[in-house]
Amino acid sequence: MPDTKTSNPYLILFALWLMMFSASSQLIIMVPILPEIAATLGVNAFWQGMLLTAYALSLGVSALITGPASDRIGRRLILLYGTILMAVTLTLHTVAESYVLLFSMRLLAGVGGGMLTSGSVAYVGDYFPYEQRGWANGWVMSGTAFGQVAGIPIGKVLATGFGYRWPFLMFAIPMAVSAVLIWLYVPQPDADLDDQRLTPARLVEKYRAVLRGSDAVNAVASYLLMFSGFGLFTSFLPSWLESTVGVSSYEIALLFAIGGTANILASPLGGRLSDRIGRKPIVVWASLALGLLMAFAPLYITGFLIAAVLFFLAMGLIGIRVGPLQSLITALVPDRQRGLLMGLAMSVGQAGFGFGSFVASITYGPYGFFSNAVGGALAMIGMAGLVHWGLPEPPLASVEEPPPDAPSVAEAP
């Protein structure tokens, strides 16, 4: 196992960045290639939405178990096992020639996703001091944005030209590379882990103990609203743009590249800025602005140009708040509960995404995309209020200069 004292923070962040690039891209690609899946497999909007719901629910169950497990065995092993499982599963998508097989692969991918989403945030919380977590989380999460700029457009082109299965093989390759990097270069942080055996009864008790605090409950609820709103707004956005606005499939790919560029710029900026002025102001104001943008977007989008401008702004607002919110939540509990809380937050969040996608699949047909957009906007505004009134802002360390670009290895707080 790599030595914590000699580990390179840059290499660690790159391994986590590559992992997030692949893990998030293989999820996000499902939205723009739903038309190709529908055309190939002959499924309606309801069954298309169920593919998103299946992944989200599988991820949620996995995170509920692997989050607390990482408090016991450490984040490194969870990340290593998760990247290996995800790489194998994405490769197996190439044989998913029927809806049942594709549905099964999405369930299995969700198990790997549950291990990675909560594990990566908890790892940053263990390795970096609180006043640098915004910076670190911002860079790790920019892997998601890079997937929108490079991975999603290429994946959309592959799906349009050669079939929906091939983008998943493309994302399996960087996931396999990430597994190798984690094995070779990512150490187990010197965190205060749980030293007691994790039995089903103890797992239940650990969740009860964490949820007795209102801060943890509000943190989980904020993830629920955030992901529900995202699922409501984005699940049928490409379908609406293609069928109603007249945007082509290749313009959809370009749209995701434009939004990803905004996210790449905003994620590190939001994280770094939150290390200076605090997490809550950024999360609250970005959520309010995003809610307003969602509500009015269907009224103003009449072509590709307006869609590109609004999508750029929306993805920028999403990106600028992710690092600050994750950094804020990792500080609410001690090391031995961090994986559990992040696992619970991610689980509930993904369940919220599945719920939002499910509601969108029901309402999109009879009521149109406007109903999806209004639902997403209400969720964002509710999240802003919950974070503002329901989560505490831990004090930042007094730092005269911005956090250094190459922080030293930090002991867990």
Side-chain angles (χ1 to χ4, degrees):
M1 186 177 72
D3 187 351
T4 305
K5 295 180 180 179
T6 60
S7 58
N8 188 323
Y10 282 127
L11 202 51
I12 292 171
L13 288 179
F14 178 69
L16 298 180
W17 181 93
L18 195 63
M19 180 189 75
M20 289 306 302
F21 162 76
S22 179
S24 59
S25 295
Q26 63 83 33
L27 170 61
I28 299 173
I29 192 64
M30 288 296 297
V31 175
I33 69 173
L34 282 179
E36 283 76 21
I37 293 175
T40 303
L41 302 180
V43 293
N44 59 26
F46 175 81
W47 291 111
Q48 294 172 51
M50 286 302 295
L51 289 172
L52 304 176
T53 301
Y55 177 90
L57 294 179
S58 177
L59 186 151
V61 173
S62 173
L64 282 176
I65 299 172
T66 59
S70 74
D71 291 332
R72 176 75 173 98
I73 67 175
R75 324 298 177 199
R76 178 179 181 272
L77 287 179
I78 292 295
L79 294 177
L80 182 60
Y81 296 154
T83 50
I84 293 173
L85 174 61
M86 183 68 81
V88 173
T89 301
L90 292 179
T91 302
L92 291 177
H93 275 64
T94 58
V95 301
E97 297 181 352
S98 68
Y99 182 83
V100 173
L101 284 175
L102 180 60
F103 188 87
S104 300
M105 289 301 102
R106 296 315 296 161
L107 284 174
L108 191 57
V111 174
M115 302 172 75
L116 301 180
T117 51
S118 60
S120 60
V121 180
Y123 186 94
V124 171
D126 287 349
Y127 188 89
F128 293 92
Y130 181 66
E131 63 271 15
Q132 294 178 349
R133 287 178 199 166
W135 172 84
N137 275 314
W139 278 109
V140 171
M141 295 309 297
S142 70
T144 301
F146 187 77
Q148 290 180 241
V149 174
I152 302 303
I154 295 173
K156 175 68 173 178
V157 171
L158 283 174
T160 302
F162 302 100
Y164 68 84
R165 294 180 294 275
W166 292 102
F168 298 105
L169 180 61
M170 179 183 74
F171 295 129
I173 297 173
M175 183 62 74
V177 174
S178 176
V180 174
L181 291 175
I182 291 172
W183 179 38
L184 294 176
Y185 302 112
V186 175
Q188 170 59 39
D190 186 15
D192 181 23
L193 299 178
D194 190 351
D195 56 2
Q196 298 186 41
R197 187 165 174 258
L198 188 64
T199 62
R202 177 160 166 72
L203 179 63
V204 172
E205 179 54 36
K206 282 170 66 70
Y207 274 114
R208 285 178 177 173
V210 168
L211 292 177
R212 289 190 189 107
S214 60
D215 294 346
V217 173
N218 292 334
V220 171
S222 68
Y223 262 70
L224 175 65
L225 291 172
M226 178 172 66
F227 279 85
S228 296
F230 189 74
L232 274 164
F233 185 77
T234 62
S235 294
F236 290 90
L237 176 62
S239 298
W240 176 72
L241 290 173
E242 289 190 27
S243 63
T244 303
V245 182
V247 177
S248 70
S249 61
Y250 291 100
E251 287 176 328
I252 293 292
L254 179 58
L255 193 65
F256 274 82
I258 292 172
T261 301
N263 209 326
I264 286 177
L265 297 174
S267 292
L269 175 63
R272 196 175 184 88
L273 185 61
S274 74
D275 287 337
R276 299 292 298 173
I277 69 172
R279 324 296 184 188
K280 286 178 60 173
I282 296 175
V283 176
V284 169
W285 286 108
S287 297
L288 288 174
L290 182 60
L292 292 175
L293 190 150
M294 285 181 173
F296 288 101
L299 303 178
Y300 290 96
I301 294 179
T302 56
F304 172 76
L305 181 59
I306 298 177
V309 172
L310 293 183
F311 198 63
F312 180 90
L313 293 175
M315 294 310 299
L317 291 170
I318 289 173
I320 203 170
R321 67 181 182 167
V322 172
L325 180 61
Q326 291 177 340
S327 301
L328 180 63
I329 293 178
T330 59
L332 298 179
V333 292
D335 297 348
R336 63 179 59 203
Q337 293 180 331
R338 185 170 291 132
L340 182 146
L341 180 58
M342 290 312 307
L344 181 60
M346 292 295 181
S347 176
V348 172
Q350 288 300 321
F353 179 82
F355 175 76
S357 300
F358 177 75
V359 172
S361 67
I362 295 176
T363 59
Y364 177 69
Y367 302 110
F369 180 70
F370 183 73
S371 63
N372 297 166
V374 171
L378 291 175
M380 293 302 101
I381 295 173
M383 176 190 168
L386 186 61
V387 172
H388 179 70
W389 283 294
L391 293 182
E393 177 77 80
L396 294 168
S398 178
V399 181
E400 293 299 327
E401 298 296 331
D405 289 338
S408 59
V409 176
E411 296 290 338

